Amino acid sequence: MAALVFAIFDGLFALSGQRRNFLTRRRLGLTAIAAIALVPLALPALLATSYATSINATELVVSQYLKGNLSMSAGEVTSLLEMKSRWIDQLSQGSSWLALGVLLVFAATFVGRLIYLIVNVIRIRRAIQGGQVLRRGRRLRIVLSPSVSVPFSTRGLRHYYVVLPLSFCADRDAMQMSLGHELQHIRQGDVDAEVALSLISPLVVLNPGFWFLSSRLRKLGELVCDRNYLRRRRFDPHGYSMRLLSVARRSRHAVGQPAAFGVPLVGRALPVLGRRSMLKDRILEIAADQSSPSRDTRALSMAMSLVMIAAVLATATAVAQPKDWSHDRIMLSTVANLERLNQLNTMAQRSW
């Protein structure tokens, strides 16, 4: 639901001609994820308010039935409202073949994702430990490594790392561009976000909303990074774009390149579309920024973030199970019981 809310907000930016407000759109995605973390804390208090009943989906369905707007029996409405809790009970108890199948698929994908992350941790450690440290800062390490072909940034418990291919030693401009780009990723929090997404990904491996949000955040993070780096360094946009394509071309058949817990120079591949679509969009936006520069306003970003939090919390309240029985739900239960009694009486009369 949070991914759907974000998609609606993102679509509104495109329809209103503000599609190139990449920083604001990225903050909205991060805000949607942060709002999800607030739901367990805020939902009990929200459900206790008088406003929860007016927006709760269960209460709205019951109200529409009692007004005669739904051509369903009380038993069918009750069965519809209990569908979610029945499905959760089946999953937790494994009481049906479908529930067992879903649990087996989740277990298999969970283990597969966990193995994938462990392999990437090993690759990152190999690249860092097998490389040469060029610079040691209080919280930053810059490493030249022979085992990678694409520069990337990552972090450990205490330090951030920028890992550059050893082949870049012969190209000073490529090294300067790669280092500046990865430092910008660290500066704007993309590395922290990527590590957090990688850590929680096994638990939500079957959730399409997570993968949609994470892919959008990665793409928007790259677009923001390109824009901010070019404005900061005054790097030649054409040369910058050509170097991105050159690095991507050299890395097409790279083996052992880390793909999780880090942010590579040429970006992560988009689902189905691959890396070329990401690079195409980035280069087109770099060109558009030269002819028509676009800037995000902090006030708009803050205002939209607050609206996003309110929308996610309101959506969570709408789909939550009501805390107490309302008058309408008691009426529905009474009607359903009367329908059952009438059905039993009818069956008894027929058998007599």
Side-chain angles (χ1 to χ4, degrees), residues 13 96 119 162 205 283 308 323:
F13 268 89
S96 69
V119 168
V162 175
V205 66
I283 291 172
M308 170 67 76
K323 187 176 181 181

Side-chain angles (χ1 to χ4, degrees), residues 265-326:
L265 175 68
V266 292
R268 295 276 295 275
L270 294 175
V272 181
L273 299 178
R275 182 175 290 161
R276 287 181 298 176
S277 177
M278 169 78 82
L279 285 173
K280 175 185 175 182
D281 290 344
R282 289 172 64 182
I283 291 172
L284 288 175
E285 294 301 337
I286 290 171
D289 266 345
Q290 307 313 305
S291 58
S292 177
S294 178
R295 290 185 178 274
D296 295 82
T297 58
R298 185 177 296 273
L300 175 64
S301 178
M302 294 297 293
M304 293 301 295
S305 295
L306 292 175
V307 175
M308 170 67 76
I309 292 175
V312 172
L313 293 179
T315 305
T317 305
V319 299
Q321 186 71 21
K323 187 176 181 181
D324 298 314
W325 280 71
S326 65

Side-chain angles (χ1 to χ4, degrees), residues 218-252:
R218 290 185 183 113
K219 181 175 181 179
L220 291 170
E222 290 294 345
L223 294 171
V224 172
C225 184
D226 291 336
R227 176 180 291 173
N228 289 340
Y229 175 70
L230 288 173
R231 286 175 178 171
R232 180 185 296 270
R233 298 294 300 177
R234 303 297 180 185
F235 206 92
D236 172 40
H238 178 266
Y240 179 81
S241 301
M242 294 304 295
R243 289 193 182 279
L244 283 177
L245 291 173
S246 176
V247 172
R249 190 178 299 113
R250 282 185 289 178
S251 66
R252 279 187 303 176

Side-chain angles (χ1 to χ4, degrees), residues 47-349:
L47 290 176
T49 63
S50 58
Y51 300 102
T53 304
S54 61
I55 65 172
N56 187 266
T58 298
E59 300 294 346
L60 290 175
V61 170
V62 173
S63 175
Q64 290 301 310
Y65 169 76
L66 294 177
K67 292 177 181 178
N69 296 330
L70 296 179
S71 57
M72 302 170 65
S73 67
E76 291 173 337
V77 174
T78 302
S79 178
L80 177 65
L81 298 179
E82 293 176 351
M83 184 184 299
K84 177 182 176 182
S85 58
R86 286 201 309 270
W87 177 238
I88 292 175
D89 290 340
Q90 288 181 10
L91 280 178
S92 60
Q93 299 172 8
S95 56
S96 69
W97 287 108
L98 180 59
L100 285 174
V102 172
L103 290 173
L104 288 175
V105 171
F106 172 75
T109 52
F110 175 85
V111 172
R113 183 66 183 177
L114 208 58
I115 293 173
Y116 170 80
L117 294 178
I118 292 172
V119 168
N120 277 273
V121 170
I122 294 173
R123 289 176 175 176
I124 291 173
R125 286 179 60 86
R126 183 188 303 154
I128 293 175
Q129 294 178 352
Q132 176 185 356
V133 179
L134 289 183
R135 177 183 172 185
R136 295 179 182 270
R138 187 171 63 89
R139 298 197 61 193
L140 177 68
R141 302 286 190 272
I142 300 174
V143 181
L144 273 178
S145 176
S147 64
V148 299
S149 57
V150 178
F152 70 93
S153 52
T154 185
R155 68 161 300 162
L157 295 177
R158 293 184 298 173
H159 301 103
Y160 291 94
Y161 297 89
V162 175
V163 183
L164 305 173
L166 187 61
S167 59
F168 276 29
C169 286
D171 192 340
R172 182 181 179 87
D173 289 339
M175 181 176 290
Q176 179 185 2
M177 184 269 284
S178 302
L179 181 59
H181 180 94
E182 296 305 326
L183 289 177
Q184 180 61 38
H185 272 306
I186 295 174
R187 193 177 294 115
Q188 67 188 34
D190 290 336
V191 174
D192 297 323
E194 182 61 39
V195 171
L197 290 173
S198 297
L199 287 174
I200 66 176
S201 62
L203 299 176
V204 289
V205 66
L206 294 183
N207 192 319
F210 168 79
W211 296 111
F212 170 76
L213 273 173
S214 59
S215 65
R216 297 300 295 167
L217 284 176
R218 290 185 183 113
K219 181 175 181 179
L220 291 170
E222 290 294 345
L223 294 171
V224 172
C225 184
D226 291 336
R227 176 180 291 173
N228 289 340
Y229 175 70
L230 288 173
R231 286 175 178 171
R232 180 185 296 270
R233 298 294 300 177
R234 303 297 180 185
F235 206 92
D236 172 40
H238 178 266
Y240 179 81
S241 301
M242 294 304 295
R243 289 193 182 279
L244 283 177
L245 291 173
S246 176
V247 172
R249 190 178 299 113
R250 282 185 289 178
S251 66
R252 279 187 303 176
H253 306 293
V255 178
Q257 180 74 29
F261 290 111
V263 183
L265 175 68
V266 292
R268 295 276 295 275
L270 294 175
V272 181
L273 299 178
R275 182 175 290 161
R276 287 181 298 176
S277 177
M278 169 78 82
L279 285 173
K280 175 185 175 182
D281 290 344
R282 289 172 64 182
I283 291 172
L284 288 175
E285 294 301 337
I286 290 171
D289 266 345
Q290 307 313 305
S291 58
S292 177
S294 178
R295 290 185 178 274
D296 295 82
T297 58
R298 185 177 296 273
L300 175 64
S301 178
M302 294 297 293
M304 293 301 295
S305 295
L306 292 175
V307 175
M308 170 67 76
I309 292 175
V312 172
L313 293 179
T315 305
T317 305
V319 299
Q321 186 71 21
K323 187 176 181 181
D324 298 314
W325 280 71
S326 65
H327 177 72
D328 286 348
R329 290 182 65 197
I330 294 174
M331 289 289 294
L332 173 66
S333 179
T334 303
V335 174
N337 289 332
L338 290 174
E339 283 185 354
R340 293 191 190 99
L341 288 174
N342 183 53
Q343 185 178 8
L344 291 173
N345 290 333
T346 303
M347 293 176 61
Q349 289 174 4

